[in-house]
Amino acid sequence: MLVIGSDHGGFLLKQEIKKHLEENKIEYIDVGCYDESSVDYPDIAKAACDKIVSGECQLGILICGTGIGISMAANKVKGIRADCFSAKYTRLHNDANVLCFGGRVVGPGLACMMVDEFLNAQFEGGRHQRRVDKISSLEENFGK
Ligand code: RB5
């Protein structure tokens, strides 16, 4: 299951991505926001990351105005690897579990292509596993 969330800055792009997911019969849970009223992106990041940490969802898409704040917030959660730059290699090499967008940065066409790349790519493991394990070890050692 996929979780998707946005603040007000990402709301319109989220609506486009949800339409794309529905057209492709990809199920998702939307943790908000549900209109363009102002909300705080860390609250949305927490709601989405809770779904991944609990195991209810495996991957997430988070959107704010720039993609920066919501990815920073998501990356504070233990076990979350969020990226707002790459879609395919972040899965292949970094086992990212959250893809972030800036609703004021990227258009819906590119965003939906990136969503497809993200959802279709599989973590390659091997030497990359060792490095992802070291990310997890940083989480342990720095008390996240
Ligand atoms: C909200 O206006 C904006 O600051 C937020 O969406 C995001 O861009 C933060 O990184």
Side-chain angles (χ1 to χ4, degrees), residues 28-68:
Y28 62 83
I29 297 171
D30 184 356
V31 293
C33 60
Y34 303 112
D35 58 35
E36 288 185 87
S37 309
S38 182
V39 293
D40 296 336
Y41 56 80
D43 297 335
I44 302 295
K46 180 183 184 309
C49 292
D50 278 347
K51 298 271 183 210
I52 295 176
V53 170
S54 74
E56 186 177 351
C57 297
Q58 291 71 49
L59 295 176
I61 296 171
L62 286 172
I63 314 158
C64 65
T66 59
I68 306 288

Side-chain angles (χ1 to χ4, degrees), residues 6-23:
S6 76
D7 75 353
H8 51 289
F11 177 75
L12 293 178
L13 180 60
K14 182 175 70 174
Q15 298 307 100
E16 296 288 339
I17 292 175
K18 282 165 55 178
K19 195 164 67 181
H20 176 73
L21 294 172
E22 285 158 22
E23 284 166 3

Side-chain angles (χ1 to χ4, degrees), residues 3-128:
V3 59
I4 188 165
S6 76
D7 75 353
H8 51 289
F11 177 75
L12 293 178
L13 180 60
K14 182 175 70 174
Q15 298 307 100
E16 296 288 339
I17 292 175
K18 282 165 55 178
K19 195 164 67 181
H20 176 73
L21 294 172
E22 285 158 22
E23 284 166 3
N24 288 283
K25 303 194 176 356
I26 297 168
E27 287 189 294
Y28 62 83
I29 297 171
D30 184 356
V31 293
C33 60
Y34 303 112
D35 58 35
E36 288 185 87
S37 309
S38 182
V39 293
D40 296 336
Y41 56 80
D43 297 335
I44 302 295
K46 180 183 184 309
C49 292
D50 278 347
K51 298 271 183 210
I52 295 176
V53 170
S54 74
E56 186 177 351
C57 297
Q58 291 71 49
L59 295 176
I61 296 171
L62 286 172
I63 314 158
C64 65
T66 59
I68 306 288
I70 208 156
S71 62
M72 286 181 171
N75 276 314
K76 295 293 179 194
V77 179
K78 189 172 173 179
I80 297 298
R81 290 175 297 279
D83 182 17
C84 61
F85 178 73
S86 167
K88 182 176 176 181
Y89 280 87
T90 202
R91 287 283 307 125
L92 294 180
H93 288 184
N94 312 109
D95 201 16
N97 44 18
V98 176
L99 179 63
C100 300
F101 292 108
R104 298 170 183 149
V105 175
V106 65
L110 177 59
C112 290
M113 283 172 57
M114 291 176 72
V115 165
D116 291 345
E117 293 284 349
F118 182 73
L119 296 181
N120 291 329
Q122 297 290 327
F123 180 50
E124 286 179 346
R127 69 188 187 281
H128 304 295

